[in-house]
Amino acid sequence: MANIKERTFIAIKPDGVQRGLVGDIIKRFEQRGYKLVAMKMVHADTKMLEEHYKDLAGKPFYAGLVKYMNSGPIVAMVWEGLQAVSTGRKLLGATNPLDSAPGTIRGDFCIQTGRNICHGSDAVDSAEREIALWFKKEELVQWDHHSAPWIYE
């Protein structure tokens, strides 16, 4: 059986929180069949954000990104399920919302890249790194989803 325990890190950025889209975003992942195993609202400090976005440190938008992400609360989440990383990215839509299809989170709720509502891990290894950065091991809740037999063969 395929790995139904794959995990991804999804963060609702300050624009998504401020606009009251947290519930809508969670709903999309739940409706798809993914299992929420961790969630918290945080106001991340600069050090945490610099570590999170260290792969973008050389980009011209890096300083503005860190400042923006530090401007308000973020809802950090871990979702689990079959191909959670790649499907999570599809649910979010393209990084540039104008390239996102209708029906995706970014395609439905935003217009500009600098305010694209969510961050999603782009690979399994980056998901593992991001989850470990944002959550302590004991914050990841192990539980059995009662609908799993209706979601997975």
Side-chain angles (χ1 to χ4, degrees), residues 20-37:
L21 298 173
V22 174
D24 290 320
I25 293 165
I26 291 170
K27 183 178 180 180
R28 301 272 182 115
F29 282 85
E30 286 181 326
Q31 286 178 326
R32 183 66 184 228
Y34 287 104
K35 180 171 75 171
L36 183 63
V37 297

Side-chain angles (χ1 to χ4, degrees), residues 17-76:
V17 174
Q18 291 288 346
R19 293 180 55 204
L21 298 173
V22 174
D24 290 320
I25 293 165
I26 291 170
K27 183 178 180 180
R28 301 272 182 115
F29 282 85
E30 286 181 326
Q31 286 178 326
R32 183 66 184 228
Y34 287 104
K35 180 171 75 171
L36 183 63
V37 297
M39 180 172 70
K40 61 184 170 183
M41 180 180 273
V42 298
H43 195 138
D45 62 28
T46 301
K47 183 179 176 183
M48 165 76 103
L49 294 166
E50 288 173 345
E51 179 62 25
H52 178 85
Y53 288 113
K54 68 182 181 182
D55 59 321
L56 301 175
K59 303 286 186 181
F61 58 82
Y62 174 75
L65 173 62
V66 171
K67 182 179 177 183
Y68 165 68
M69 291 294 288
N70 181 253
S71 71
I74 296 166
V75 175

Side-chain angles (χ1 to χ4, degrees), residues 137-150:
K137 189 173 184 168
E138 61 269 17
E139 292 178 304
L140 303 174
V141 178
Q142 304 297 322
W143 63 286
D144 294 322
H145 198 294
H146 75 321
S147 295
W150 299 110

Side-chain angles (χ1 to χ4, degrees), residues 58-93:
K59 303 286 186 181
F61 58 82
Y62 174 75
L65 173 62
V66 171
K67 182 179 177 183
Y68 165 68
M69 291 294 288
N70 181 253
S71 71
I74 296 166
V75 175
M77 300 175 287
V78 179
W79 291 92
E80 182 179 280
L82 183 64
Q83 296 182 355
V85 173
S86 62
T87 303
R89 298 282 294 179
K90 290 175 188 171
L91 287 170
L92 294 180

